[in-house]
Amino acid sequence: MALSAAMDLIDPGLAYHHKRVGMMAGNLAAAMGLPPTEIARATLAGMLHDIGYLGRDEGAWTPDERPTDRSARIGGRILSIAGFTRDLSIPVAHHHLPWAQVKGANGLSGNDAILAQIVHLADLTDRMLDRVSPLHPQACAARVRIDAFDENALAPSVKAAFARASAADAFWLEAAAIDLDRRLERLAAPAASQALIAADMTEFGRLYSIVVDARSVFTATHSWGVAAVAEAMGAHAGFSHDTVVALELAGQLHDVGKLAIDVAILEKPGKLTPDEFAAMRAHAYYTEVLLRRVPGFDDLAKWAGDHHEQLDGNGYPHRHTQDDLPPEARLLSVADRYVAMTEDRPYRRAFTPGQAIELIEADAAKGTIDTRFAALLHDHLDAIDGIRREAQLEEQRFVAQILADE
Ligand SMILES: [Fe+2]
Ligand SMILES: [Fe+2]
Ligand SMILES: [Fe+2]
């Protein structure tokens, strides 16, 4: 659910598109008589089908002009990062292809090919609907258009299931339902309960951070750098093992709210205007909101959401003061600043580690960040900076594989 919520933030114009596609895909799988686990897989694949879109490349497409399938292939590779999304990878990677190509693709097992077609059709259908004019005439028109697809475009069994399922008003009404989240949770439950037990949080963090970082060249390796620095600082500071692990994850996820920020702002070559900067600042707020949706993430969501807060109350988004900022949040904000300073930005070159720690200690002296963590970073600067560089190189290689044109 949290992943899909993050997807909805990528493009406000597509808000709820992913959930509606998930709902229709689940209902189509049910109409085909697939078992509950496959219905769940169709639902989740539908909810996450645009994960490789990353807010750039192809842009929007209409039912009449096919999308290129690069973003679908990237999405498939992103989903293969984590064990709990791996079985969505192949259907998502193939969801832009017509049936003639899906059925001929190498190594696609029966259900994967059908699920790819189900997601394809659900995506296509949702794009035929505007969310303004009356639903019924649009539904009728969509049924006519889809009925005209031949067996090269759409698998006959999926087309037949759509004809049956979409004859019911409920098929269309459900996709627009106000309790969309509850219905989706029910459809996805057989996969989700399995997924949560198996979920390796490191993989979860990797998957999210890649989606965030791959959107901008300037921060392409930022999350893994912050994660590694936060982990190393946490260990030196003597936090418990569990807290150190949580700090690493918080580092990986601290900028996940950037999914809600326009790529044009993230990538702007130059200083942001005051309005753009205000829009950018919202990312910390969205980070907290998104992470709070994940069960068990309450502390982590606060630390991550507070990474731009300052002890003197001049940070954002809450203007918290020191009483509201636990040590973990203070540590994370020092780690974030340090890594950001060692990276190029559109408006300045990277600082050296020595310059960065000087600036951080000056900030600490001014009372904006915690002197204790600034000193700790200073004391272990060489070791921690080595760890940072290694982690950022690792992410760079990882992202290159995901975005590779094969
Ligand atoms: Fe889509
Ligand atoms: Fe940030
Ligand atoms: Fe950051």
Side-chain angles (χ1 to χ4, degrees):
M1 276 302 152
L3 258 180
S4 153
M7 287 305 305
D8 278 339
L9 289 175
I10 289 184
D11 180 349
L14 290 178
Y16 292 106
H17 168 66
H18 308 109
K19 289 180 181 173
R20 288 193 305 257
V21 171
M23 174 74 89
M24 283 193 273
N27 284 338
L28 288 172
M32 292 191 68
L34 294 178
T37 50
E38 292 298 86
I39 295 173
R41 203 149 72 95
T43 306
L44 289 170
M47 289 166 76
L48 296 171
H49 72 280
D50 276 338
I51 198 164
Y53 167 59
L54 303 173
R56 45 181 181 179
D57 299 329
E58 290 93 21
W61 52 278
T62 66
D64 300 312
E65 37 170 309
R66 266 183 192 287
T68 68
D69 65 337
R70 180 165 185 262
S71 71
R73 287 199 310 271
I74 291 173
R77 281 186 225 133
I78 290 173
L79 292 170
S80 72
I81 294 172
F84 61 98
T85 52
R86 198 158 294 140
D87 65 351
L88 310 174
S89 164
I90 291 179
V92 167
H94 294 82
H95 87 271
H96 280 165
L97 298 177
W99 180 234
Q101 282 177 48
V102 179
K103 73 177 171 194
N106 289 335
L108 231 65
S109 76
N111 268 354
D112 278 344
I114 289 298
L115 290 192
Q117 282 279 284
I118 286 176
V119 172
H120 175 66
L121 180 55
D123 191 15
L124 205 62
T125 306
D126 192 55
R127 286 173 183 276
M128 289 180 187
L129 309 174
D130 68 57
R131 296 287 146 185
V132 188
S133 40
L135 183 58
H136 185 69
Q138 296 187 69
C140 294
R143 277 169 55 82
V144 170
R145 282 174 78 176
I146 288 164
D147 189 53
F149 287 8
D150 66 16
E151 75 269 10
N152 286 320
L154 193 59
S157 60
V158 175
K159 183 174 157 179
F162 175 82
R164 281 195 307 279
S166 68
D169 290 344
F171 178 85
W172 304 94
L173 294 169
E174 275 194 343
I178 38 174
D179 64 341
L180 203 55
D181 281 345
R182 267 219 321 263
R183 288 166 175 279
L184 281 170
E185 261 162 39
R186 227 179 17 241
L187 281 173
S193 54
Q194 208 185 358
L196 271 183
I197 298 163
D200 174 338
M201 283 302 152
T202 307
E203 290 182 339
F204 182 84
R206 286 192 159 203
L207 193 147
Y208 252 124
S209 58
I210 292 291
V211 176
V212 174
D213 288 355
R215 296 180 82 220
S216 170
V217 291
F218 298 110
T219 56
T221 63
H222 179 70
S223 297
W224 290 24
V226 175
V229 170
E231 181 192 20
M233 287 178 64
H236 284 300
F239 285 112
S240 72
H241 173 73
D242 285 357
T243 304
V244 170
V245 171
L247 276 169
E248 182 188 9
L249 195 52
Q252 222 151 23
L253 298 172
H254 74 284
D255 273 339
V256 72
K258 281 192 180 165
L259 290 178
I261 312 302
D262 198 331
V263 171
I265 293 181
L266 297 179
E267 297 253 72
K268 183 177 174 184
K271 272 224 184 275
L272 299 177
T273 66
D275 284 348
E276 288 166 343
F277 184 54
M280 178 67 158
R281 287 200 306 266
H283 81 273
Y285 174 80
Y286 290 125
T287 287
E288 179 166 355
V289 169
L290 283 168
L291 293 181
R292 278 203 194 278
R293 297 188 189 197
V294 184
F297 268 26
D298 280 345
D299 287 343
L300 196 152
K302 174 166 172 56
W303 307 340
D306 284 351
H307 72 274
H308 290 293
E309 296 289 354
Q310 297 182 2
L311 297 173
D312 60 5
N314 285 324
Y316 60 87
H318 298 290
R319 292 185 150 258
H320 279 329
T321 52
Q322 36 188 333
D323 294 342
D324 308 308
L325 294 168
E328 294 88 346
R330 299 175 184 208
L331 181 153
L332 193 62
S333 102
V334 171
D336 178 48
R337 272 182 199 233
Y338 178 71
V339 175
M341 284 174 179
T342 61
E343 294 168 333
D344 286 330
R345 286 294 178 265
Y347 47 90
R348 62 150 172 82
R349 296 302 307 258
F351 294 109
T352 64
Q355 291 169 325
I357 194 66
E358 245 177 61
L359 290 166
I360 282 178
E361 292 196 299
D363 284 342
K366 273 186 262 163
T368 60
I369 51 176
D370 196 313
T371 47
R372 178 180 160 220
F373 293 120
L376 183 136
L377 181 57
H378 190 158
D379 290 346
H380 303 278
L381 190 62
D382 286 351
I384 291 179
D385 194 66
I387 291 168
R388 169 193 68 80
R389 253 181 292 125
E390 194 46 53
Q392 293 195 276
L393 273 175
E394 198 191 341
E395 182 172 12
Q396 191 177 38
R397 286 192 290 265
F398 205 79
V399 173
Q401 277 169 29
I402 301 256
L403 298 182
D405 288 306
E406 61 284 303

